[in-house]
Amino acid sequence: MTNPPKDADPEGVRRGVEEMDAKLRAARAPNPKPRPNEPPSNVMSHRQTSVAYRILVDMIAGLLVGGFLGYWLDRWLGWAPYSLVTGLVLGFVAGANNAWRAIRAYSKDAAVTGSGGDDGNRRLP
């Protein structure tokens, strides 16, 4: 740390240090944590996260299975790109359908329970 110049105002330097110390104390103030019984306000519940991951997996699995079956049919029957494209489209439709079903089930459950929060050990159908 460098020394202040000899003509510097020691009172001004001290005020600057005190201001910085006050800012550090304010930044280090404890953040209030949510209580266990209090519903989360701005965070996703475990159930919401699980539904989001299920939608992601459904979409990817549909594309992979449809693409694999289309590729396999192309090789077996020699229909070059047609089976692959058809398989990818059907895989996308199947993945979107599964995702839509998961969203509907979650929405219906959230409407019944009154919130989208974590509700124990319930699982999607």
Side-chain angles (χ1 to χ4, degrees), residues 7-47:
D7 61 343
D9 178 27
E11 190 66 28
V13 172
R14 192 183 70 183
R15 272 186 276 130
V17 169
E18 287 174 357
E19 288 174 8
M20 187 173 293
D21 190 39
K23 288 180 185 177
L24 282 172
R25 279 193 207 125
R28 289 181 181 159
N31 294 330
K33 294 184 178 179
R35 299 191 173 156
N37 297 336
E38 184 178 308
S41 60
N42 62 351
V43 294
M44 288 180 56
S45 70
H46 295 290
R47 179 134 167 93

Side-chain angles (χ1 to χ4, degrees), residues 13 16 20 35-36 47 49 52 58-59 66 74 77 81 105 111:
V13 172
M20 187 173 293
R35 299 191 173 156
R47 179 134 167 93
T49 305
D58 283 344
M59 295 298 290
D74 279 343
L77 299 173

Side-chain angles (χ1 to χ4, degrees), residues 75-87:
R75 290 294 207 173
W76 187 47
L77 299 173
W79 293 346
Y82 303 113
S83 294
L84 178 62
V85 171
T86 304

Side-chain angles (χ1 to χ4, degrees), residues 40 42-55 106 110 115-119:
N42 62 351
V43 294
M44 288 180 56
S45 70
H46 295 290
R47 179 134 167 93
Q48 290 170 330
T49 305
S50 68
V51 170
Y53 280 125
R54 178 178 172 187
I55 290 168
Y106 173 74
S115 70
D118 192 16
D119 51 357

